[in-house]
Amino acid sequence: MRRRSIFGTSLAVVAAMGLAACGGGGDDSGASKTVRVTLANHVWTENIKAALPEFEKQTGLKVEITQLGEDQLSDQYNVKLNAGSSDLDVMMYRPLQEGKLFAKNKYLADLSDHVKSNKDWDYADFQPSPVEATTYEGKPVGVPIITEQEVLYYRKDLLAKAGLSAPPKTLDELKAAAAKVKASVPGTAGFVARTGKSPAVTQFSSFLYSFGGDFVDGSGKATVNSDAAKQAYAFYGGLIKDSGPANVSTDMSWPEAMAIFTQGKAAFYTEANSLYKNATDPAKSKVSDTVGFAPFPAGPAGSKPYNIPSWALGVNDASKNKSNAWKFIEWATGKEQTLAQQKAGVPGARTSVWANPEGTASYPKDLVEAITASTKDGVAHDRPVVVKVGQARELVGQPIVDAITGKDPAAAADTANEAFQKFLDDEAK
């Protein structure tokens, strides 16, 4: 049976590499004491590698790690998963980037029995939104290991200069405060954020949800031209156009937007909490001692920032070593390891660790409060949940650019919705 290519590599290339396909859903009859784990280059990975001797001593298993950059990781999965190869046991993957594709193609094993088997491991301890993002058709196919939420970064000193006593709690207050700072502090933008068509989608998503919109409705129909979506596009684009940096470009991702903020050129910035050290580290930021954090401001539908797992662990469904693969995941995502990771600055998905003072001691107090608020009503996705994520982001991101450049955001949303619906229809075939 032909299997769909993951990232565009032809299956002829797979064949040419001589990788023999093994039957999907392999059993553990040939279980090995060696667990083959493929991980991305990340501080989480480095922390796990340092702790591995403990796991190997406890279990008598040996862990063989393959560590790759994101592009190399994608290439390896493309080749091996398409071929049905069984020489991957545990996979570190991005639930919102390739999760739906992997689950749809049955590359990820159903973990339903495993997550229920150990009450001390406590699956119920994981936050609902990251769990939702690692679930497919009602079945858990991954375990979240690293989370992100969108929060408001702000400059305490600039608020004081503008006569503002506290960070804004609503989007309307944010708009007014940004305009006031820009007017009262020459040469400083009131607000900065991502502006690139694709990169901005993730941060725009929290605005969309807080206005009461989403990318699709419950039936899977495109809704980027709903009244709520049109208001969100107009608000986000207008905020940057009216209160953003002078001559702002429309190709900024987070490094460019963060640089404007950390160089002291903006008062407010909405961004992923995982990047906070760029703003608070004196070696990276000129304003490190004046940065504050606040929950994402509430819109007409309340404060609804995303709360997502940026990375998760799953088991290759073709692995013949699933039981031992799960032992590794169970250990790596347990309360002890999650606490150790979070103490090292890697935000996890366990509620108990966020409630533990040890788990938050290394974070700024106001950031912890902002993250805690985000996890209560957080939305489980920060982009359309589709197979071809990159193409979808380009489509739904166009109205952002149009709004920033002064074009009619409502008309842009209508055009985008038509194209996005066609995309969804094509993907469903």
Side-chain angles (χ1 to χ4, degrees), residues 273-308:
N273 66 296
S274 58
L275 299 172
Y276 83 92
K277 286 188 177 180
N278 289 276
T280 59
D281 183 350
K284 298 178 181 179
S285 172
K286 290 182 178 180
V287 297
S288 59
D289 59 342
T290 67
V291 174
F293 302 93
F296 188 85
S303 174
K304 295 190 176 300
Y306 62 72
N307 176 28
I308 61 154

Side-chain angles (χ1 to χ4, degrees), residues 37-384:
V37 179
T38 301
L39 304 176
N41 286 336
H42 195 283
V43 65
W44 184 93
T45 297
E46 298 303 325
N47 294 339
I48 280 294
K49 285 165 62 178
L52 271 180
E54 171 194 333
F55 171 74
E56 293 180 332
K57 183 178 180 180
Q58 286 175 359
T59 61
L61 298 172
K62 178 176 175 55
V63 178
E64 184 180 285
I65 286 182
T66 299
Q67 184 176 345
L68 302 167
E70 289 187 26
D71 289 343
Q72 293 172 301
L73 193 72
S74 296
D75 289 342
Q76 175 156 149
Y77 289 158
N78 189 16
V79 171
K80 292 196 171 185
L81 295 177
N82 269 308
S85 176
S86 63
D87 66 356
L88 296 174
D89 296 324
V90 177
M91 306 186 302
M92 184 173 175
Y93 75 100
R94 298 167 295 183
L96 293 169
Q97 192 65 25
E98 57 254 348
K100 184 173 182 178
L101 174 61
F102 284 8
K104 187 176 182 180
N105 282 359
K106 303 189 186 307
Y107 298 145
L108 294 170
D110 178 4
L111 303 178
S112 297
D113 291 339
H114 289 301
V115 300
K116 298 172 186 174
S117 62
N118 185 344
K119 291 184 179 179
D120 290 334
W121 179 74
D122 193 6
Y123 189 50
D125 188 36
F126 288 86
Q127 297 164 3
S129 293
V131 166
E132 180 183 335
T134 50
T135 299
Y136 180 72
E137 294 183 342
K139 298 175 182 177
V141 294
V143 179
I145 54 174
I146 303 161
T147 61
E148 288 186 359
Q149 300 84 24
E150 187 167 3
V151 300
L152 179 68
Y153 294 57
Y154 70 94
R155 290 270 304 283
K156 298 174 184 177
D157 57 327
L158 292 182
L159 264 65
K161 283 184 181 180
L164 300 168
S165 59
K169 293 183 178 180
T170 69
L171 289 175
D172 284 343
E173 289 178 6
L174 173 61
K175 183 177 181 180
K180 190 168 185 180
V181 169
K182 186 161 187 175
S184 60
V185 186
T188 302
F191 178 78
V192 70
R194 304 183 193 188
T195 61
K197 181 166 53 175
S198 178
V201 169
T202 55
Q203 307 315 306
F204 164 74
S205 68
S206 297
F207 289 82
L208 177 63
Y209 310 146
S210 297
F211 269 92
D214 206 329
F215 299 105
V216 299
D217 63 17
S219 66
K221 293 292 185 183
T223 55
V224 294
N225 72 337
S226 66
D227 289 344
K230 287 178 177 179
Q231 291 172 38
Y233 280 124
F235 185 92
Y236 187 91
L239 193 55
I240 294 171
K241 180 171 69 72
D242 298 335
S243 296
N247 303 313
V248 65
S249 70
T250 54
D251 61 359
M252 291 197 301
S253 188
W254 77 262
E256 295 80 18
M258 179 67 78
I260 291 172
F261 184 77
T262 57
Q263 291 301 304
K265 301 296 185 183
F268 297 103
Y269 173 38
T270 53
E271 186 55 84
N273 66 296
S274 58
L275 299 172
Y276 83 92
K277 286 188 177 180
N278 289 276
T280 59
D281 183 350
K284 298 178 181 179
S285 172
K286 290 182 178 180
V287 297
S288 59
D289 59 342
T290 67
V291 174
F293 302 93
F296 188 85
S303 174
K304 295 190 176 300
Y306 62 72
N307 176 28
I308 61 154
S310 50
W311 290 95
L313 296 180
V315 175
N316 175 19
D317 195 47
S319 167
K320 297 183 183 299
N321 203 17
K322 289 192 182 74
S323 293
N324 288 334
W326 174 253
K327 287 178 183 177
F328 173 84
I329 292 179
E330 189 176 50
W331 168 77
T333 62
K335 294 177 183 178
E336 183 178 341
Q337 280 303 316
T338 301
L339 176 60
Q341 289 278 3
Q342 196 154 303
K343 287 168 69 174
V346 181
R350 283 190 173 273
T351 301
S352 63
V353 174
W354 280 107
N356 185 340
E358 283 189 69
T360 59
S362 65
Y363 294 78
K365 184 174 181 292
D366 56 354
L367 179 59
V368 173
E369 292 170 354
I371 292 171
T372 301
S374 301
T375 61
K376 290 178 182 177
D377 296 308
V379 178
H381 54 282
D382 64 350
R383 66 203 75 178

